[in-house]
Amino acid sequence: MLSMQKVLYYIKRQLGFPYVGIELSDNDIEMEIKMFVLPKFSKYVPNVNWVTVNPNIPQYLVSPGSNMYYIFDPDGCSILNVVAVHYEETDYLVHRYPYTYTLANEEEVIAYVEGIERAETAMIFSGAARTFMYIPPNIIRVYPHREPPASFIVKYERVHPEHLATIPAEFEIDFLVLSLAHIMSICGNIRNKYQTITTPFGDIPLNADLRERAETLEQNVISRLENLPPNILIDVY
């Protein structure tokens, strides 16, 4: 599981610490990662989360009588996109869809399947299907605009929380390298203001090629992330 402590250790060791000084403090590095690296990484590998929206609670309403509702992320993360909205399935019950049913014999299995088909057909012709539109940064509009829906669940993609624990293990190295590249670029810009530093071992060029190395590292990571397979989410009921 990734953590900020692991990221800091990786970056500092790659930059030569403690044998080579780093121009940024741990707090500076952590802030840079939270403000710039996390949002960039999450564009390619977002964190998927679910929240419940209750139209009957005033804090969720954008304005009274509207069909727009606020989405509140529990961790205060920025919302990137809404993937799906799951409404109450009361219509299935109205059309005798058996949610829980003990199937004792073959006849009951056949009746169960037929009941599903009748319920789905009845729903198609007895009511308007709902859809939605996401309005950044945290509003969802539900269509059609009729009576407010009951509580519904919103599945959405967001920027990973700052504790970093939600970053998948297979992408940890990508996040580490992307963070390193960002900090290397900053250090390179700072060192570019100077030419050399005199040490007992001779003059050392401070700017070296940090910025070029940082750009190459970032391009390699971004190229890999851009070529990932489509992030297709499948719900199993």
Side-chain angles (χ1 to χ4, degrees), residues 198-211:
T198 301
T199 71
F201 307 101
D203 292 341
I204 298 178
L206 287 180
N207 60 346
D209 60 343
L210 271 186
R211 290 186 299 177

Side-chain angles (χ1 to χ4, degrees), residues 174-210:
D174 297 294
F175 184 81
L176 289 171
V177 174
L178 199 62
S179 300
L180 172 62
H182 182 78
I183 300 304
M184 285 177 64
S185 179
I186 295 176
C187 291
N189 288 333
I190 295 174
R191 296 178 188 182
N192 192 50
K193 298 181 182 297
Y194 308 94
Q195 296 299 319
T196 60
I197 183 172
T198 301
T199 71
F201 307 101
D203 292 341
I204 298 178
L206 287 180
N207 60 346
D209 60 343
L210 271 186

Side-chain angles (χ1 to χ4, degrees), residues 97 112-122:
Y97 186 100
Y112 179 84
V113 174
E114 290 177 346
I116 293 175
E117 294 179 350
R118 285 195 298 270
E120 292 179 341
T121 302

Side-chain angles (χ1 to χ4, degrees), residues 29-218:
I29 295 175
E30 185 173 339
M31 186 61 66
E32 288 289 329
I33 292 173
K34 291 178 180 178
M35 291 182 62
F36 302 106
V37 181
L38 259 180
K40 181 182 295 184
F41 175 82
S42 298
K43 286 172 55 180
Y44 302 97
V45 186
N47 177 235
V48 178
N49 199 41
W50 294 260
V51 292
T52 298
V53 175
N54 190 339
N56 299 311
I57 299 179
Q59 70 179 22
Y60 288 100
L61 297 177
V62 174
S63 60
S66 72
N67 60 332
M68 296 187 294
Y69 310 96
Y70 289 113
I71 305 170
F72 297 107
D73 183 80
D75 299 309
C77 300
S78 297
I79 298 173
L80 302 174
N81 184 41
V82 172
V83 178
V85 176
H86 301 289
Y87 306 100
E88 282 192 355
E89 303 293 352
T90 52
D91 288 340
Y92 280 114
L93 295 177
V94 171
H95 295 295
R96 302 181 64 79
Y97 186 100
Y99 266 139
T100 57
Y101 195 83
T102 302
L103 305 178
N105 51 56
E106 182 179 351
E107 288 74 16
E108 291 187 357
V109 173
I110 296 174
Y112 179 84
V113 174
E114 290 177 346
I116 293 175
E117 294 179 350
R118 285 195 298 270
E120 292 179 341
T121 302
M123 287 182 64
I124 294 174
F125 294 101
S126 62
R130 291 188 182 276
T131 186
F132 65 90
M133 179 178 70
Y134 171 57
I135 304 174
N138 69 327
I139 294 176
I140 185 169
R141 172 176 284 170
V142 177
Y143 296 101
H145 187 187
R146 51 184 184 183
E147 73 281 355
S151 296
F152 54 91
I153 297 174
V154 178
K155 177 189 288 186
Y156 62 99
E157 297 175 334
R158 64 176 183 170
V159 174
H160 286 271
E162 295 179 354
H163 53 66
L164 309 184
T166 58
I167 293 178
E170 61 181 307
F171 295 109
E172 286 184 3
I173 187 61
D174 297 294
F175 184 81
L176 289 171
V177 174
L178 199 62
S179 300
L180 172 62
H182 182 78
I183 300 304
M184 285 177 64
S185 179
I186 295 176
C187 291
N189 288 333
I190 295 174
R191 296 178 188 182
N192 192 50
K193 298 181 182 297
Y194 308 94
Q195 296 299 319
T196 60
I197 183 172
T198 301
T199 71
F201 307 101
D203 292 341
I204 298 178
L206 287 180
N207 60 346
D209 60 343
L210 271 186
R211 290 186 299 177
E212 293 181 5
R213 289 169 54 199
E215 184 177 346
T216 300
L217 286 175
E218 180 173 335

Side-chain angles (χ1 to χ4, degrees), residues 8-9 11-22:
L8 287 173
Y9 179 83
I11 291 174
K12 293 168 71 173
R13 292 296 290 179
Q14 291 295 317
L15 291 175
F17 186 84
Y19 308 105
V20 176
I22 300 176

